[in-house]
Amino acid sequence: MTEAAIRRTPGTPCWVSLMVHGLGTTQDFYGALFGWKFVRVAGPEPLGAYVRGVLDGQEVAGIGQLAPERRLPLAWTTYLATDDADATAEAIRCCGGTVGVGPLDAGVNGRVALASDPAGAVFGVRQQGKARTGGGTAVAEGVPGHGTPVWNELLTHEAAWVGTFYRSVFGYDVEATGRDGADVLTLRLDGQAVATLHGVGEGLGRVRGAYWMTYFEVDDTDAAALRVAELGGHVIDPPWETPTGRVATVTDPEGAVFSVVRSTAR
């Protein structure tokens, strides 16, 4: 079953995508790290070549080619599901966010928009077709395998402030789940946790600003971090233990940040 066949509850992270300068070399990196195969598909009309990473027949992520003159910071973008991209875009504007691109028809990607929350974190919205409903993230049902996106977390200055925005737009139930005073909120839909907001204050840094982090499942976090370095990427935070699994934060060769995790649930 392809990713597009699963209809997510509106507000659920449903896709992750990355725009890069070197599409071929980026495919080589993620193919070697996660075992992805790639299929070329039609992307949004204003953009260039676009491929999807595939694992065992499941489409798990998209990578697109930036125009040579566009020198933008590279980052994985989390897309949130919606039944009406235009209505969600209007809600984003009304609640203090900004819609930077779209909504526009994006071929097999459906109708999409790129937006930013009041703290400046970029995210996408993606309108769904009439397929069966389901919760969860942009992964296949069942136990996630190596190379599958399994979680999305917003790193921002203050979780409570920006949490009000996401609750107003997408109707989340917001629960404080930080330990030992940590500023962490969990977003829930129908009782199911779908994402976290993590306020890190001045630790966020002035250059990057607020951003969504994608977590990819791996069989061995330490081995994956070593493999990232071998393939030309960088390890930002070496592997460490968390309540949900062993995690490392890394970048690909072009500098896009992501995390790898060996989940305790596996």
Side-chain angles (χ1 to χ4, degrees), residues 89-161:
E90 183 60 26
I92 289 169
R93 296 186 188 98
C94 291
C95 294
T98 301
V99 178
V101 177
L104 52 81
D105 292 322
V108 296
N109 293 306
R111 190 160 177 79
V112 301
L114 285 175
S116 58
D117 65 29
V122 175
F123 64 97
V125 295
R126 188 178 185 208
Q127 186 170 317
Q128 308 173 101
K130 296 180 179 180
R132 67 186 183 84
T133 59
T137 60
V139 300
E141 294 180 343
V143 178
H146 180 89
T148 303
V150 291
W151 193 248
N152 296 269
E153 180 179 58
L154 173 65
L155 298 174
T156 189
H157 291 285
E158 182 185 355
W161 173 57

Side-chain angles (χ1 to χ4, degrees), residues 225-253:
L226 288 173
R227 187 62 174 145
V228 165
E230 292 172 354
L231 293 168
H234 300 278
V235 177
I236 299 176
D237 294 319
W240 79 98
E241 295 293 339
T242 75
T244 55
R246 188 164 177 80
V247 177
T249 303
V250 300
T251 76
D252 65 22

Side-chain angles (χ1 to χ4, degrees), residues 1-16 52 58-61 78-84 88 125-142 144 148-152 170 172 189-190 192-194:
M1 177 181 296
T2 65
E3 181 275 336
I6 301 174
R7 186 177 179 277
R8 310 291 178 182
T9 302
T12 304
C14 62
W15 188 245
V16 292
R52 286 187 168 193
Q58 173 80 9
E59 296 173 340
V60 295
T78 297
Y79 282 76
L80 306 176
T82 178
D83 289 335
D84 187 331
T88 299
V125 295
R126 188 178 185 208
Q127 186 170 317
Q128 308 173 101
K130 296 180 179 180
R132 67 186 183 84
T133 59
T137 60
V139 300
E141 294 180 343
T148 303
V150 291
W151 193 248
N152 296 269
F170 295 104
Y172 298 118
L189 290 169
D190 300 326
Q192 181 177 0
V194 296

